[in-house]
Amino acid sequence: MSSHKLYRDNRMLGFFLDNEAPAGLILPDSVQKANAKEFVERVSNLADMDYTQLLNTLVGELVWIGVKIMATMAVWIVGRWIIRRIIRIARAAFERRNVEASLRIFLDNMIRVVLSTLLILTVVQMLGVNMTTIVALFASATLAIGMALSGTFQNFAGGVMILLLKPYRVGDYITAQGQSGTVTQIKLFSTQIRTTDNRTIYIPNSSISTSIIDNYSEAPVRRVDITVGIPYGTDIDVARTEILAICNADERVLAEPAAPVVLVAELADSSVKLFVRVWVNTADYWDVFYSLNERIYTILPQKGIEFPFPQLDVTIKK
């Protein structure tokens, strides 16, 4: 080995032990900034440590890790119990303040999601995970998931708009997106309705919030419209009197906002069509509709007023 090489190696070793570069020796920045001396001391101390001390150190670390895991599990269990308790308290408060059912369900889901997210972040932090890294990963994941689930976020925004504008509430009978039924739940992303034949339909909030909604239950009273055909030549006043008597005999028919009326609506090909209009409570609408139709069909023939059939006059020329 040449004397020049020996001299250079000795200078390098002196740098690593003293952490100071000899004069005239040019080293990379990464080497100059490294705390080589401290590293060598740690390795020397580890080599000098006996096996008993090393075992005690490892056992101590394992015990500390076990305690941390048990504490984290305890926080998770207690946190879940606290979340359930908070939700029960919130539900009781909503009931005392008579908050409508649709808003109660929405807020219940919102509280559950927010508190569960905070609990998960707390548990992750207790395990020693760097929250800066978690936040960065969460932001990246949120962007990717947001692009993939843009429709889901639109449904969430639609649910918020429904609760703010209140075009319908839980218990209302509505028609929307070609479906009719009673609203049973307004969830974060969809509205659940039940049809008259007991089918459950889920309509996305994004579509229902921007569509035409026919709410049959919002007004306290509704008007029942019935069309009755009578033959040509029938006395209109007699027919009107008999139909009004049938309507007024039903206790569910209201005098306000307007009394029952019978109007001549159309002179059709085979009959004179009369419009019968009565006001009832919204809950009585269908019962009164079917009842009046049946009674008109039964009573009018008894009063000598028949129902015409379609007629066609045919002229034969020889």
Side-chain angles (χ1 to χ4, degrees):
M1 182 180 295
S2 65
S3 59
H4 176 73
K5 186 174 187 302
L6 257 180
Y7 174 73
R8 185 184 62 185
D9 292 343
N10 290 333
R11 287 163 60 88
M12 290 289 292
L13 180 60
F15 164 72
F16 280 111
L17 293 178
D18 298 334
N19 201 23
E20 294 181 0
L25 182 62
I26 301 175
L27 297 172
D29 291 341
S30 59
V31 176
Q32 294 179 17
K33 295 179 181 179
N35 194 352
K37 184 176 182 179
E38 182 180 355
F39 173 74
V40 172
E41 290 177 354
R42 287 185 178 181
V43 173
S44 300
N45 293 334
L46 183 61
D48 295 338
M49 186 183 299
D50 59 3
Y51 292 105
T52 302
Q53 186 178 0
L54 178 62
L55 182 61
N56 291 334
T57 302
L58 292 177
V59 171
E61 291 294 333
L62 291 176
V63 170
W64 170 244
I65 294 173
V67 170
K68 181 182 291 188
I69 293 176
M70 292 179 63
T72 303
M73 293 178 61
V75 169
W76 173 260
I77 294 173
V78 173
R80 295 291 298 174
W81 180 84
I82 293 175
I83 290 175
R84 290 194 294 268
R85 187 66 178 172
I86 291 175
I87 291 175
R88 292 196 195 101
I89 295 174
R91 288 175 180 173
F94 294 154
E95 291 178 359
R96 286 196 304 268
R97 295 181 178 274
N98 295 322
V99 178
E100 60 179 313
S102 56
L103 185 57
R104 284 205 305 266
I105 296 173
F106 188 89
L107 292 177
D108 183 271
N109 293 332
M110 179 67 70
I111 292 173
R112 187 186 305 275
V113 170
V114 172
L115 294 182
S116 297
T117 302
L118 292 177
L119 177 60
I120 292 173
L121 292 177
T122 302
V123 169
V124 170
Q125 188 174 15
M126 288 186 63
L127 291 174
V129 179
N130 189 351
M131 292 305 298
T132 303
T133 305
I134 294 295
V135 170
L137 291 176
F138 181 76
S140 302
T142 301
L143 179 60
I145 294 173
M147 296 177 64
L149 301 178
S150 59
T152 301
F153 290 113
Q154 291 176 1
N155 289 330
F156 176 79
V160 173
M161 294 301 297
I162 290 171
L163 290 174
L164 291 177
L165 301 178
K166 299 179 181 179
Y168 56 84
R169 298 173 174 84
V170 172
D172 289 354
Y173 188 89
I174 66 171
T175 295
Q177 293 292 298
Q179 304 294 335
S180 299
T182 301
V183 178
T184 55
Q185 288 189 48
I186 301 176
K187 298 184 177 182
L188 291 177
F189 306 111
S190 64
T191 294
Q192 178 180 325
I193 67 173
R194 181 157 301 162
T195 62
T196 54
D197 57 349
N198 207 31
R199 291 181 296 119
T200 300
I201 298 176
Y202 297 89
I203 304 176
N205 286 335
S206 61
S207 59
I208 196 172
S209 62
T210 57
S211 66
I212 298 176
I213 301 172
D214 196 347
N215 191 333
Y216 299 95
S217 304
E218 185 169 358
V221 296
R222 288 183 61 190
R223 192 182 70 191
V224 178
D225 292 343
I226 299 175
T227 301
V228 179
I230 60 175
Y232 278 98
T234 304
D235 192 325
I236 298 296
D237 292 332
V238 173
R240 179 183 288 112
T241 301
E242 296 297 338
I243 294 174
L244 289 176
I246 294 172
C247 295
N248 291 324
D250 194 324
E251 296 180 352
R252 296 167 295 185
V253 174
L254 305 176
E256 296 293 338
V261 294
V262 178
L263 306 171
V264 177
E266 182 182 357
L267 303 178
D269 294 337
S270 303
S271 65
V272 177
K273 292 185 177 180
L274 305 179
F275 276 179
V276 182
R277 294 177 175 175
V278 299
W279 288 89
V280 298
N281 291 321
T282 300
D284 297 329
Y285 179 88
W286 289 111
D287 292 337
V288 173
F289 178 83
Y290 294 128
S291 177
L292 288 183
N293 271 292
E294 182 176 349
R295 295 185 64 191
I296 289 173
Y297 175 77
T298 303
I299 295 176
L300 284 188
Q302 297 176 1
K303 303 298 182 179
I305 302 175
E306 300 293 337
F307 298 102
F309 296 96
Q311 298 178 4
L312 178 64
D313 293 334
V314 179
T315 302
I316 300 177
K317 295 183 178 180
K318 294 183 181 181

